[in-house]
Amino acid sequence: MKAFINLAPGVVVESAGKRYVITSILSLDTVLVKDDETGKPQELYIKDVTPVSNLTQDEEDKQVDLSLIPEDDWNDASDWANRLKPLLSAPRRTIGMVDEIAKEAGVSRGTVYRKLKILEKSGKASSLVPQKSSGGKGRSRLVSEAEAIIRATIIDLTKGKEKHSLDEIYKVIKSKLERAKLDVPHFSTIKRRVKSIRKEKEAEQQAANQETGKRNIVYPGHFLGADFPLAVVQIDHTELDIILVDDVDGEAIGRPWITLAVDVFSRTVPGFYISLDPPGDISVGLCIAHAILLKDKWLAKYNINIAWPTWGVMSKIHADNAGEFHSMMLKRACKEYGIDLEWRPVKKPRYGAHIESLLGTFAERIHQLPGTTFSNPKERDKYDSEKHATMTIAALEEWFARYVAGIYHQELHSALLTSPIKQYEKGIFGTKDIPGRGLPYQVHDEDRLRLDLMPAVERTIQEYGVEIDYIHYYSGVLNKHINEKVEASNKKRKFIFKQDPRKISPIYFFDPDLNDYFKIPYRDTSQPPMSRWEYRKVRRRLESQGKEEIDEQLIFQTFKEMCEIVERSARENKSRRRDAQRRRLHQQIEEPKTADDGLRNLPEVNGADESEELPVIEPFDEMEYLT
């Protein structure tokens, strides 16, 4: 099933098993359609609309894990997605615009129209990956060792003032690969690599020019490019000025963090994420997912009957330079969904003024809640924040959602001279003077979106399954890939596994042959759930005890002992109450659905029983996020 729906007139969709054609957009929540068989008009809620399900195999969008796309193919697809983006967002397209792109790319007008049709249908950059050079089943024909040699050689021979011809570069690469007893690619492959790396250098130089103020000067009150809804979304974190209580005993557990997104054009809030965990990859990913997805199911969880119609794929995410905004998986996920990822220039605070202002606005409101710590000691005076604290993290999340949708979005904004939601509507539907952008792309496959935004690791698959940080995972779906080798090499093949840091089991295995994800639980399913935060505490405890030989059983035994300590002392110690609350929240997370949900009785690997002794794995290996 398609991951995207392009909600525009003429698009065929489904609702309750019937096909309809969209004829017009009525509001941010509804569309007017006609029955595909009878032609009868009907109004449908957008939340009830889905992509057409019974497509042929050729029509079905082929989903490939982003990490498996060869670099050259990915760069080519990204280039085309960037070229076509102005056509996707243009209120009116002209032949002149198409011809200009065709001339720039050195292709025919028909090629541009064909690629535009592909991108409009899928909404994903990966749909433009050239099939001819996919290397079979979505992976590169060059082994990783050869790729590393080729890239390092090209970078070395293209730096500095000395110029080397393509023939010279090819001869050096050929010599190195032959010495390493690796296959030598065709000359045209090296030519494409050189072109790709040169483009990377040009992009880096452009970014450097922008940071020094040579381009894109931003004036107070305006952000360059934020000319329509979701053109630019800023994201940032802050620790909120309020003490929360746990949901068992109502005891104080400390201050939470919020990751917040703001649409610069309308100042609406498309999404947020509140947690007791400090900011990281997962908080950024969940905030972006919340911003993109429809809010109806999420609001229903809290029985909130207020419209929150800001959803859809943004054109650009603007963030600061924190590490979580620079991970490779975030970069690739953003490119996959057609999102430009841009970082705030260092020491240029005006570039983040909109999100900073909004965080300040919300801070003032939070200072009115019980348990607030205010923003400085003078304001707090003799107010006992912990004594007056009454709100759990769930209560704060509900309060924040009601405030955003029911008050902030509806109030007059001093800079806009209208309310944020009215400004958003103007940008979507247009006015008599300015055309609207139309509804943004709607992501239908919510689980795939969350998985795409989840941290990843690479691992080989052994007879016992997969090992990450001494903990073993197994499912029958791994059997066919046990000890699989890289093509044209004796090296064992590495596969992509996704892991939610809040709950390290299950992990999510991407099967490159089936182009889908599968859940892989602990090999010993009797072991308790654990977060990466808890895992790190166990590791520190074992290291402080001087443990030299660490294995899975020791990890879980120590973890259970630490949990018992936390539970016994939770009433007397705030930090341990906070730990206990975080653990409860992590255990309650909703796991993304995968291809194997509902499957039973998967075949077991030969000899894999609880009594089997696992091989020794060394040395101790901290989880490696793909950054």
PDB file of all heavy atoms in Angstrom, residues 1-4 60-66 68 124 126 336-337 445 448-449 452 510-512 514-517:
ATOM      1  N   MET A   1       0.838  -1.192   0.000  1.00  0.00           N
ATOM      2  CA  MET A   1       0.000   0.000   0.000  1.00  0.00           C
ATOM      3  C   MET A   1       0.877   1.247   0.000  1.00  0.00           C
ATOM      4  O   MET A   1       1.925   1.263   0.619  1.00  0.00           O
ATOM      5  CB  MET A   1      -0.923   0.004   1.229  1.00  0.00           C
ATOM      6  CG  MET A   1      -1.859   1.213   1.289  1.00  0.00           C
ATOM      7  SD  MET A   1      -3.001   1.155   2.697  1.00  0.00           S
ATOM      8  CE  MET A   1      -4.083  -0.150   2.161  1.00  0.00           C
ATOM      9  N   LYS A   2       0.428   2.286  -0.694  1.00  0.00           N
ATOM     10  CA  LYS A   2       1.194   3.518  -0.755  1.00  0.00           C
ATOM     11  C   LYS A   2       1.335   4.153   0.625  1.00  0.00           C
ATOM     12  O   LYS A   2       0.441   4.114   1.440  1.00  0.00           O
ATOM     13  CB  LYS A   2       0.504   4.522  -1.690  1.00  0.00           C
ATOM     14  CG  LYS A   2       0.563   4.158  -3.148  1.00  0.00           C
ATOM     15  CD  LYS A   2      -0.326   5.042  -3.974  1.00  0.00           C
ATOM     16  CE  LYS A   2       0.063   6.494  -3.851  1.00  0.00           C
ATOM     17  NZ  LYS A   2      -0.789   7.366  -4.693  1.00  0.00           N
ATOM     18  N   ALA A   3       2.497   4.768   0.840  1.00  0.00           N
ATOM     19  CA  ALA A   3       2.744   5.440   2.113  1.00  0.00           C
ATOM     20  C   ALA A   3       2.152   6.838   2.122  1.00  0.00           C
ATOM     21  O   ALA A   3       1.914   7.403   3.170  1.00  0.00           O
ATOM     22  CB  ALA A   3       4.244   5.499   2.389  1.00  0.00           C
ATOM     23  N   PHE A   4       1.924   7.404   0.910  1.00  0.00           N
ATOM     24  CA  PHE A   4       1.445   8.777   0.807  1.00  0.00           C
ATOM     25  C   PHE A   4       0.084   8.825   0.136  1.00  0.00           C
ATOM     26  O   PHE A   4      -0.270   7.961  -0.665  1.00  0.00           O
ATOM     27  CB  PHE A   4       2.402   9.609  -0.059  1.00  0.00           C
ATOM     28  CG  PHE A   4       3.615  10.094   0.649  1.00  0.00           C
ATOM     29  CD1 PHE A   4       4.776   9.344   0.642  1.00  0.00           C
ATOM     30  CD2 PHE A   4       3.624  11.301   1.310  1.00  0.00           C
ATOM     31  CE1 PHE A   4       5.915   9.782   1.278  1.00  0.00           C
ATOM     32  CE2 PHE A   4       4.758  11.752   1.950  1.00  0.00           C
ATOM     33  CZ  PHE A   4       5.900  10.997   1.933  1.00  0.00           C
ATOM     34  N   GLU A  60       2.165  -1.386  -7.261  1.00  0.00           N
ATOM     35  CA  GLU A  60       2.475  -1.278  -5.825  1.00  0.00           C
ATOM     36  C   GLU A  60       3.811  -0.591  -5.612  1.00  0.00           C
ATOM     37  O   GLU A  60       4.792  -0.913  -6.262  1.00  0.00           O
ATOM     38  CB  GLU A  60       2.527  -2.683  -5.205  1.00  0.00           C
ATOM     39  CG  GLU A  60       2.655  -2.671  -3.691  1.00  0.00           C
ATOM     40  CD  GLU A  60       1.378  -2.278  -2.995  1.00  0.00           C
ATOM     41  OE1 GLU A  60       0.304  -2.447  -3.574  1.00  0.00           O
ATOM     42  OE2 GLU A  60       1.469  -1.792  -1.861  1.00  0.00           O
ATOM     43  N   ASP A  61       3.856   0.372  -4.713  1.00  0.00           N
ATOM     44  CA  ASP A  61       5.114   1.051  -4.406  1.00  0.00           C
ATOM     45  C   ASP A  61       6.060   0.087  -3.721  1.00  0.00           C
ATOM     46  O   ASP A  61       5.720  -0.523  -2.712  1.00  0.00           O
ATOM     47  CB  ASP A  61       4.877   2.248  -3.460  1.00  0.00           C
ATOM     48  CG  ASP A  61       4.286   3.422  -4.190  1.00  0.00           C
ATOM     49  OD1 ASP A  61       4.399   3.481  -5.426  1.00  0.00           O
ATOM     50  OD2 ASP A  61       3.714   4.270  -3.512  1.00  0.00           O
ATOM     51  N   LYS A  62       7.244  -0.042  -4.235  1.00  0.00           N
ATOM     52  CA  LYS A  62       8.249  -0.925  -3.660  1.00  0.00           C
ATOM     53  C   LYS A  62       9.011  -0.168  -2.589  1.00  0.00           C
ATOM     54  O   LYS A  62       9.677   0.811  -2.869  1.00  0.00           O
ATOM     55  CB  LYS A  62       9.196  -1.412  -4.744  1.00  0.00           C
ATOM     56  CG  LYS A  62      10.170  -2.461  -4.259  1.00  0.00           C
ATOM     57  CD  LYS A  62      11.056  -2.918  -5.397  1.00  0.00           C
ATOM     58  CE  LYS A  62      12.019  -3.988  -4.928  1.00  0.00           C
ATOM     59  NZ  LYS A  62      12.930  -4.419  -5.990  1.00  0.00           N
ATOM     60  N   GLN A  63       8.902  -0.635  -1.354  1.00  0.00           N
ATOM     61  CA  GLN A  63       9.570   0.044  -0.251  1.00  0.00           C
ATOM     62  C   GLN A  63      10.921  -0.614   0.014  1.00  0.00           C
ATOM     63  O   GLN A  63      11.009  -1.807   0.234  1.00  0.00           O
ATOM     64  CB  GLN A  63       8.721  -0.024   1.018  1.00  0.00           C
ATOM     65  CG  GLN A  63       7.426   0.754   0.906  1.00  0.00           C
ATOM     66  CD  GLN A  63       6.664   0.728   2.204  1.00  0.00           C
ATOM     67  OE1 GLN A  63       6.723  -0.236   2.959  1.00  0.00           O
ATOM     68  NE2 GLN A  63       5.934   1.780   2.477  1.00  0.00           N
ATOM     69  N   VAL A  64      11.955   0.176  -0.018  1.00  0.00           N
ATOM     70  CA  VAL A  64      13.308  -0.293   0.236  1.00  0.00           C
ATOM     71  C   VAL A  64      13.864   0.467   1.423  1.00  0.00           C
ATOM     72  O   VAL A  64      13.718   1.681   1.492  1.00  0.00           O
ATOM     73  CB  VAL A  64      14.201  -0.070  -1.004  1.00  0.00           C
ATOM     74  CG1 VAL A  64      15.623  -0.506  -0.726  1.00  0.00           C
ATOM     75  CG2 VAL A  64      13.638  -0.833  -2.201  1.00  0.00           C
ATOM     76  N   ASP A  65      14.481  -0.236   2.374  1.00  0.00           N
ATOM     77  CA  ASP A  65      15.084   0.469   3.505  1.00  0.00           C
ATOM     78  C   ASP A  65      16.111   1.476   2.993  1.00  0.00           C
ATOM     79  O   ASP A  65      16.931   1.175   2.140  1.00  0.00           O
ATOM     80  CB  ASP A  65      15.766  -0.523   4.444  1.00  0.00           C
ATOM     81  CG  ASP A  65      16.254   0.178   5.684  1.00  0.00           C
ATOM     82  OD1 ASP A  65      17.373   0.688   5.656  1.00  0.00           O
ATOM     83  OD2 ASP A  65      15.505   0.222   6.673  1.00  0.00           O
ATOM     84  N   LEU A  66      16.060   2.668   3.525  1.00  0.00           N
ATOM     85  CA  LEU A  66      16.885   3.762   3.020  1.00  0.00           C
ATOM     86  C   LEU A  66      18.365   3.453   3.130  1.00  0.00           C
ATOM     87  O   LEU A  66      19.172   3.925   2.327  1.00  0.00           O
ATOM     88  CB  LEU A  66      16.561   5.047   3.794  1.00  0.00           C
ATOM     89  CG  LEU A  66      15.079   5.448   3.835  1.00  0.00           C
ATOM     90  CD1 LEU A  66      14.930   6.784   4.540  1.00  0.00           C
ATOM     91  CD2 LEU A  66      14.497   5.507   2.460  1.00  0.00           C
ATOM     92  N   LEU A  68      19.862   0.782   2.465  1.00  0.00           N
ATOM     93  CA  LEU A  68      20.347  -0.170   1.479  1.00  0.00           C
ATOM     94  C   LEU A  68      20.521   0.432   0.089  1.00  0.00           C
ATOM     95  O   LEU A  68      21.015  -0.233  -0.812  1.00  0.00           O
ATOM     96  CB  LEU A  68      19.370  -1.358   1.388  1.00  0.00           C
ATOM     97  CG  LEU A  68      19.204  -2.171   2.668  1.00  0.00           C
ATOM     98  CD1 LEU A  68      18.162  -3.247   2.457  1.00  0.00           C
ATOM     99  CD2 LEU A  68      20.515  -2.789   3.084  1.00  0.00           C
ATOM    100  N   LYS A 124       7.839  10.082  -2.461  1.00  0.00           N
ATOM    101  CA  LYS A 124       9.090   9.669  -1.814  1.00  0.00           C
ATOM    102  C   LYS A 124      10.248   9.738  -2.803  1.00  0.00           C
ATOM    103  O   LYS A 124      10.143   9.280  -3.945  1.00  0.00           O
ATOM    104  CB  LYS A 124       8.961   8.253  -1.266  1.00  0.00           C
ATOM    105  CG  LYS A 124       7.797   8.103  -0.295  1.00  0.00           C
ATOM    106  CD  LYS A 124       7.603   6.682   0.143  1.00  0.00           C
ATOM    107  CE  LYS A 124       8.551   6.297   1.231  1.00  0.00           C
ATOM    108  NZ  LYS A 124       8.252   4.985   1.816  1.00  0.00           N
ATOM    109  N   SER A 126      12.909   8.021  -2.860  1.00  0.00           N
ATOM    110  CA  SER A 126      13.442   6.706  -3.236  1.00  0.00           C
ATOM    111  C   SER A 126      12.729   6.118  -4.446  1.00  0.00           C
ATOM    112  O   SER A 126      13.259   5.220  -5.100  1.00  0.00           O
ATOM    113  CB  SER A 126      13.340   5.736  -2.060  1.00  0.00           C
ATOM    114  OG  SER A 126      12.000   5.558  -1.660  1.00  0.00           O
ATOM    115  N   GLU A 336      13.983  11.084   2.027  1.00  0.00           N
ATOM    116  CA  GLU A 336      13.008  10.123   1.519  1.00  0.00           C
ATOM    117  C   GLU A 336      11.613  10.744   1.437  1.00  0.00           C
ATOM    118  O   GLU A 336      10.865  10.499   0.491  1.00  0.00           O
ATOM    119  CB  GLU A 336      12.990   8.886   2.425  1.00  0.00           C
ATOM    120  CG  GLU A 336      11.826   7.934   2.199  1.00  0.00           C
ATOM    121  CD  GLU A 336      11.943   7.142   0.905  1.00  0.00           C
ATOM    122  OE1 GLU A 336      12.747   7.502   0.027  1.00  0.00           O
ATOM    123  OE2 GLU A 336      11.191   6.168   0.772  1.00  0.00           O
ATOM    124  N   TYR A 337      11.268  11.532   2.423  1.00  0.00           N
ATOM    125  CA  TYR A 337       9.925  12.126   2.440  1.00  0.00           C
ATOM    126  C   TYR A 337       9.912  13.529   1.814  1.00  0.00           C
ATOM    127  O   TYR A 337       8.949  14.270   1.978  1.00  0.00           O
ATOM    128  CB  TYR A 337       9.397  12.168   3.877  1.00  0.00           C
ATOM    129  CG  TYR A 337       9.049  10.793   4.399  1.00  0.00           C
ATOM    130  CD1 TYR A 337      10.000  10.014   5.043  1.00  0.00           C
ATOM    131  CD2 TYR A 337       7.788  10.250   4.202  1.00  0.00           C
ATOM    132  CE1 TYR A 337       9.711   8.732   5.490  1.00  0.00           C
ATOM    133  CE2 TYR A 337       7.473   8.986   4.652  1.00  0.00           C
ATOM    134  CZ  TYR A 337       8.440   8.226   5.291  1.00  0.00           C
ATOM    135  OH  TYR A 337       8.127   6.958   5.722  1.00  0.00           O
ATOM    136  N   ASP A 445       1.009   5.456   5.847  1.00  0.00           N
ATOM    137  CA  ASP A 445       1.663   4.346   6.548  1.00  0.00           C
ATOM    138  C   ASP A 445       2.382   4.888   7.783  1.00  0.00           C
ATOM    139  O   ASP A 445       3.569   5.188   7.757  1.00  0.00           O
ATOM    140  CB  ASP A 445       2.647   3.656   5.602  1.00  0.00           C
ATOM    141  CG  ASP A 445       3.117   2.304   6.138  1.00  0.00           C
ATOM    142  OD1 ASP A 445       3.009   2.094   7.369  1.00  0.00           O
ATOM    143  OD2 ASP A 445       3.590   1.479   5.349  1.00  0.00           O
ATOM    144  N   ARG A 448       5.420   2.727   9.120  1.00  0.00           N
ATOM    145  CA  ARG A 448       6.629   2.856   8.308  1.00  0.00           C
ATOM    146  C   ARG A 448       7.330   4.189   8.585  1.00  0.00           C
ATOM    147  O   ARG A 448       8.561   4.255   8.654  1.00  0.00           O
ATOM    148  CB  ARG A 448       6.267   2.746   6.830  1.00  0.00           C
ATOM    149  CG  ARG A 448       7.477   2.810   5.888  1.00  0.00           C
ATOM    150  CD  ARG A 448       8.426   1.647   6.158  1.00  0.00           C
ATOM    151  NE  ARG A 448       9.608   1.718   5.321  1.00  0.00           N
ATOM    152  CZ  ARG A 448       9.961   0.758   4.460  1.00  0.00           C
ATOM    153  NH1 ARG A 448       9.208  -0.320   4.333  1.00  0.00           N
ATOM    154  NH2 ARG A 448      11.052   0.876   3.749  1.00  0.00           N
ATOM    155  N   LEU A 449       6.550   5.243   8.761  1.00  0.00           N
ATOM    156  CA  LEU A 449       7.138   6.547   9.073  1.00  0.00           C
ATOM    157  C   LEU A 449       7.922   6.482  10.373  1.00  0.00           C
ATOM    158  O   LEU A 449       9.057   6.972  10.451  1.00  0.00           O
ATOM    159  CB  LEU A 449       6.035   7.607   9.171  1.00  0.00           C
ATOM    160  CG  LEU A 449       6.493   8.998   9.614  1.00  0.00           C
ATOM    161  CD1 LEU A 449       7.392   9.639   8.560  1.00  0.00           C
ATOM    162  CD2 LEU A 449       5.285   9.899   9.901  1.00  0.00           C
ATOM    163  N   ASP A 452      11.099   4.526   9.850  1.00  0.00           N
ATOM    164  CA  ASP A 452      12.082   5.283   9.073  1.00  0.00           C
ATOM    165  C   ASP A 452      12.815   6.300   9.942  1.00  0.00           C
ATOM    166  O   ASP A 452      13.966   6.648   9.666  1.00  0.00           O
ATOM    167  CB  ASP A 452      11.398   6.006   7.910  1.00  0.00           C
ATOM    168  CG  ASP A 452      11.121   5.078   6.734  1.00  0.00           C
ATOM    169  OD1 ASP A 452      11.776   4.028   6.644  1.00  0.00           O
ATOM    170  OD2 ASP A 452      10.245   5.404   5.907  1.00  0.00           O
ATOM    171  N   PHE A 510      14.923  -5.405   8.857  1.00  0.00           N
ATOM    172  CA  PHE A 510      14.472  -5.126   7.494  1.00  0.00           C
ATOM    173  C   PHE A 510      14.982  -6.227   6.579  1.00  0.00           C
ATOM    174  O   PHE A 510      16.183  -6.382   6.371  1.00  0.00           O
ATOM    175  CB  PHE A 510      14.981  -3.770   7.004  1.00  0.00           C
ATOM    176  CG  PHE A 510      14.474  -3.439   5.627  1.00  0.00           C
ATOM    177  CD1 PHE A 510      13.205  -2.930   5.450  1.00  0.00           C
ATOM    178  CD2 PHE A 510      15.260  -3.666   4.503  1.00  0.00           C
ATOM    179  CE1 PHE A 510      12.720  -2.644   4.186  1.00  0.00           C
ATOM    180  CE2 PHE A 510      14.785  -3.387   3.233  1.00  0.00           C
ATOM    181  CZ  PHE A 510      13.513  -2.874   3.074  1.00  0.00           C
ATOM    182  N   ASP A 511      14.036  -7.016   6.039  1.00  0.00           N
ATOM    183  CA  ASP A 511      14.382  -8.084   5.114  1.00  0.00           C
ATOM    184  C   ASP A 511      14.488  -7.488   3.711  1.00  0.00           C
ATOM    185  O   ASP A 511      13.472  -7.078   3.135  1.00  0.00           O
ATOM    186  CB  ASP A 511      13.318  -9.183   5.142  1.00  0.00           C
ATOM    187  CG  ASP A 511      13.730 -10.419   4.370  1.00  0.00           C
ATOM    188  OD1 ASP A 511      14.257 -10.255   3.246  1.00  0.00           O
ATOM    189  OD2 ASP A 511      13.536 -11.542   4.867  1.00  0.00           O
ATOM    190  N   PRO A 512      15.701  -7.412   3.138  1.00  0.00           N
ATOM    191  CA  PRO A 512      15.861  -6.757   1.837  1.00  0.00           C
ATOM    192  C   PRO A 512      15.225  -7.530   0.693  1.00  0.00           C
ATOM    193  O   PRO A 512      14.943  -6.951  -0.361  1.00  0.00           O
ATOM    194  CB  PRO A 512      17.388  -6.674   1.677  1.00  0.00           C
ATOM    195  CG  PRO A 512      17.912  -7.794   2.508  1.00  0.00           C
ATOM    196  CD  PRO A 512      16.983  -7.909   3.670  1.00  0.00           C
ATOM    197  N   LEU A 514      12.233  -9.242   0.986  1.00  0.00           N
ATOM    198  CA  LEU A 514      10.781  -9.033   1.081  1.00  0.00           C
ATOM    199  C   LEU A 514      10.420  -7.559   1.174  1.00  0.00           C
ATOM    200  O   LEU A 514       9.240  -7.202   1.148  1.00  0.00           O
ATOM    201  CB  LEU A 514      10.235  -9.776   2.305  1.00  0.00           C
ATOM    202  CG  LEU A 514      10.468 -11.291   2.315  1.00  0.00           C
ATOM    203  CD1 LEU A 514       9.938 -11.899   3.601  1.00  0.00           C
ATOM    204  CD2 LEU A 514       9.806 -11.938   1.102  1.00  0.00           C
ATOM    205  N   ASN A 515      11.446  -6.692   1.309  1.00  0.00           N
ATOM    206  CA  ASN A 515      11.219  -5.244   1.403  1.00  0.00           C
ATOM    207  C   ASN A 515      10.236  -4.889   2.508  1.00  0.00           C
ATOM    208  O   ASN A 515       9.326  -4.089   2.313  1.00  0.00           O
ATOM    209  CB  ASN A 515      10.723  -4.684   0.063  1.00  0.00           C
ATOM    210  CG  ASN A 515      11.771  -4.808  -1.020  1.00  0.00           C
ATOM    211  OD1 ASN A 515      12.948  -4.568  -0.773  1.00  0.00           O
ATOM    212  ND2 ASN A 515      11.353  -5.192  -2.212  1.00  0.00           N
ATOM    213  N   ASP A 516      10.423  -5.506   3.671  1.00  0.00           N
ATOM    214  CA  ASP A 516       9.519  -5.221   4.781  1.00  0.00           C
ATOM    215  C   ASP A 516      10.233  -5.476   6.103  1.00  0.00           C
ATOM    216  O   ASP A 516      11.288  -6.108   6.150  1.00  0.00           O
ATOM    217  CB  ASP A 516       8.265  -6.094   4.698  1.00  0.00           C
ATOM    218  CG  ASP A 516       7.013  -5.313   5.057  1.00  0.00           C
ATOM    219  OD1 ASP A 516       7.128  -4.360   5.868  1.00  0.00           O
ATOM    220  OD2 ASP A 516       5.930  -5.636   4.546  1.00  0.00           O
ATOM    221  N   TYR A 517       9.611  -4.967   7.190  1.00  0.00           N
ATOM    222  CA  TYR A 517      10.171  -5.107   8.532  1.00  0.00           C
ATOM    223  C   TYR A 517       9.519  -6.274   9.285  1.00  0.00           C
ATOM    224  O   TYR A 517       8.332  -6.575   9.088  1.00  0.00           O
ATOM    225  CB  TYR A 517       9.949  -3.834   9.338  1.00  0.00           C
ATOM    226  CG  TYR A 517      10.921  -2.724   9.025  1.00  0.00           C
ATOM    227  CD1 TYR A 517      10.584  -1.713   8.133  1.00  0.00           C
ATOM    228  CD2 TYR A 517      12.178  -2.678   9.618  1.00  0.00           C
ATOM    229  CE1 TYR A 517      11.470  -0.686   7.842  1.00  0.00           C
ATOM    230  CE2 TYR A 517      13.074  -1.666   9.341  1.00  0.00           C
ATOM    231  CZ  TYR A 517      12.716  -0.673   8.459  1.00  0.00           C
ATOM    232  OH  TYR A 517      13.599   0.329   8.174  1.00  0.00           O
TER     233      TYR A 517
END
